[in-house]
Amino acid sequence: PYLKNVGNLYDSLQETELHVGAPVWVLHQSVGGEYFYVRSYSYVGWVKAEDIAVTEDGELWRAFAAPEDFVVVTETAIFLRDEELDMGVKLPMTEYNNGVYTVKLPIRDEAGILSFTEEAVPAHHVSEGYLPYTYKNFVTQAFKYEGVMYSWGGLDSGVDCSSFVSNVMRTFGFILPRDTKDQES
């Protein structure tokens, strides 16, 4: 980490986190191949290559990114296959049976290529489709973060101010800029 001063908890080099399934363009690879320099919706930066699944198959990507049937995570976070999925993460749904959704979770295969696995998610952790944008739903989603630690750029499973707003709004299908100053305007 690069800290502005002793005792500062926030890494000046960590600007944001990438949510599971977030699209990125791989722009460059480090000499040893351990890192990719990527462009996401809001930022550019270095990420561990082992955390990125690549594909050149546009049809495969579009089927994941814009599925006809999907669920949205409505809890502050859930875990599937040891992956943390934050509030607002959208996953294609393949089936609903007895209070459990079967979803397609993006994974990285042994060669680093995008693949999918089917996972079960209890219905009380997700919404089928986006939540209706009502005052009651907005307040309910916002207060789910009560007691969650403030954390710069998603460090230590916490949430910062702009990510809090963005995550809540994604449950309704609204995609906001990542930074507070951009959200404000």
Side-chain angles (χ1 to χ4, degrees):
Y2 172 70
L3 307 176
K4 290 184 180 178
N5 54 50
V6 176
N8 186 337
L9 301 175
Y10 306 120
D11 184 344
S12 296
L13 298 177
Q14 179 166 341
E15 299 264 40
T16 191
E17 65 180 320
L18 293 173
H19 297 287
V20 170
V24 297
W25 290 291
V26 176
L27 304 174
H28 188 69
Q29 185 173 4
S30 63
V31 172
E34 298 91 8
Y35 292 90
F36 288 149
Y37 189 70
V38 302
R39 171 81 175 140
S40 71
Y41 175 68
S42 303
Y43 282 100
V44 294
W46 290 99
V47 297
K48 291 180 181 176
E50 67 188 26
D51 292 335
I52 302 291
V54 297
T55 186
E56 293 182 10
D57 186 338
E59 188 174 317
L60 175 72
W61 169 248
R62 282 186 293 283
F64 171 76
E68 190 171 313
D69 299 312
F70 62 91
V71 298
V72 176
V73 175
T74 56
E75 298 300 318
T76 57
I78 63 172
F79 288 85
L80 292 180
R81 289 182 57 123
D82 297 326
E83 291 293 333
E84 185 173 0
L85 284 72
D86 292 316
M87 181 183 287
V89 167
K90 180 172 96 172
L91 297 170
M93 174 192 68
T94 59
E95 157 177 72
Y96 175 78
N97 188 12
N98 201 27
V100 176
Y101 289 100
T102 302
V103 299
K104 287 187 175 184
L105 181 68
I107 60 171
R108 174 186 164 97
D109 71 12
E110 299 82 25
I113 305 301
L114 176 64
S115 184
F116 299 95
T117 182
E118 291 196 343
E119 298 293 325
V121 180
H124 63 275
H125 291 314
V126 296
S127 168
E128 186 172 335
Y130 294 117
L131 288 172
Y133 185 53
T134 65
Y135 180 77
K136 179 182 178 187
N137 283 345
F138 176 79
V139 170
T140 298
Q141 288 307 111
F143 272 93
K144 287 183 179 182
Y145 278 102
E146 186 174 19
V148 173
M149 180 181 78
Y150 177 88
S151 177
W152 180 262
L155 193 63
D156 297 325
S157 297
V159 66
D160 63 21
C161 50
S162 57
S163 189
F164 161 72
V165 171
S166 180
N167 290 356
V168 169
M169 296 308 285
R170 283 187 304 136
T171 64
F172 306 110
F174 300 117
I175 307 301
L176 300 180
R178 174 60 177 88
D179 291 331
T180 305
K181 66 180 177 352
D182 297 323
Q183 289 176 356
E184 179 182 29
S185 63

